[in-house]
Amino acid sequence: MVDSSYFNLSSNDIIKYPIITDKATRLLENNQYSFIVNPSSDKITIKAAIEYLFDVKVTKVNTCQLPRKKKRVGKYIGWKSQYKKAIVTLADGDTINLFAEN
């Protein structure tokens, strides 16, 4: 495990929130989890933050920067902010509980 002093940002600032879409839920079968992350973070920092926050072993991290998109509200045209997505593959036997159980 990596000490939290390793991060320039806190681990809560690196991992913003999980992605829960149709494709992301299909990836759960392969033990892969998708997260929106800070655009300035790299793969090593993302791996360390996931291992620190969820106490799991990460085997692989894939990242991609998605482009800005135009949005229109009435006559006004603006841009959605650009974001970075990380798909994290966990070791066999490790899981992350994304859905709260009552």
Side-chain angles (χ1 to χ4, degrees):
M1 289 297 194
V2 176
D3 186 25
S4 63
S5 63
Y6 171 77
F7 307 119
N8 294 344
L9 303 167
S10 73
S11 53
N12 289 331
D13 293 334
I14 294 170
I15 309 297
K16 293 185 176 180
Y17 53 88
I19 300 173
I20 302 174
T21 59
D22 290 339
K23 183 177 179 181
T25 51
R26 274 188 269 125
L27 287 174
L28 292 177
E29 297 171 2
N30 299 334
N31 214 13
Q32 294 179 328
Y33 295 85
S34 302
F35 295 94
I36 297 293
V37 296
N38 190 331
S40 63
S41 57
D42 59 348
K43 291 183 180 188
I44 297 168
T45 325
I46 294 168
K47 177 180 177 179
I50 294 288
E51 289 180 345
Y52 179 75
L53 285 174
F54 298 107
D55 194 29
V56 293
K57 177 73 175 141
V58 175
T59 58
K60 190 165 138 181
V61 177
N62 296 331
T63 60
C64 64
Q65 293 238 0
L66 298 162
R68 298 188 321 161
K69 295 183 179 177
K70 268 190 183 178
K71 282 302 244 186
R72 182 183 180 121
V73 178
K75 67 178 183 177
Y76 302 103
I77 298 176
W79 294 92
K80 282 181 65 177
S81 59
Q82 184 178 12
Y83 61 96
K84 187 173 191 177
K85 177 169 73 168
I87 299 174
V88 178
T89 306
L90 301 182
D92 292 337
D94 287 339
T95 58
I96 297 174
N97 189 7
L98 296 178
F99 308 104
E101 296 178 14
N102 292 334

